[in-house]
Amino acid sequence: MKLAILSDTHGLLRPEVAEHLKTADAILHAGDINTQAIVDQMAAAAPLHIVRGNNDKAWAEALPHDLTVTLGGVTFFMIHNKKETPADLTGVDVVVFGHSHKYFQEEKDGVLWLNPGSCGPRRFHQEITMMMAEVASGKIQVEKILIPHAAK
């Protein structure tokens, strides 16, 4: 199963990102989407698992603050701000978060922590990134996707 993992689109779904989404069997978005139109675009590409970010205001009240989902035998806990992750992660294989706009991938105490970075408007002179992952039989393999930032 192929997953697209992204966060912090902030109202911009870049064409390069949309192309990656079309190849995914499922999409995980860790919040700060900013518009329902972006949610609709992503949901049209593949089944969407999404959480609300701190910039997702009234329009996003129905989106969950956090979400646990199992795909390909891998259990994901999703939240926007890593600081709000519960201490007890029993049964969780991967934590997906956003908020900082910084790509992060680290295994700690048997849990893989992933921040796909931001693939919306470029901010803070940071890279524009997302992740693609393969999950099967309880294993995950992650690839960093760097999006060119010639514009925005």
Side-chain angles (χ1 to χ4, degrees), residues 36-126:
Q36 183 63 45
I38 299 290
V39 173
D40 296 343
Q41 268 187 280
M42 291 188 296
L48 179 62
H49 305 278
I50 193 166
V51 294
R52 184 177 64 246
N54 60 297
N55 285 300
D56 296 323
K57 303 298 182 189
W59 72 270
E61 285 178 359
L63 295 179
H65 172 266
D66 56 79
L67 180 67
T68 301
V69 62
T70 301
L71 301 165
V74 176
T75 300
F76 295 86
F77 175 80
M78 298 174 58
I79 194 156
H80 183 63
N81 189 336
K82 180 182 179 185
K83 293 178 182 178
E84 298 173 9
T85 304
D88 183 4
L89 292 172
T90 302
V92 171
D93 301 306
V94 180
V95 174
V96 176
F97 63 98
H99 190 60
S100 71
H101 295 224
K102 293 180 183 174
Y103 186 95
F104 181 83
Q105 180 177 342
E106 179 180 287
E107 190 166 331
K108 185 178 177 187
D109 299 325
V111 175
L112 181 60
W113 294 77
L114 299 177
N115 183 336
S118 172
C119 59
R122 185 166 185 232
R123 300 170 114 177
F124 317 121
H125 303 287
Q126 292 178 350

Side-chain angles (χ1 to χ4, degrees), residues 12-22 41 119 147:
L12 174 63
L13 191 61
R14 294 171 177 274
E16 302 93 338
V17 173
E19 286 302 310
H20 284 289
L21 299 184
K22 290 178 191 175
Q41 268 187 280
C119 59
I147 308 294

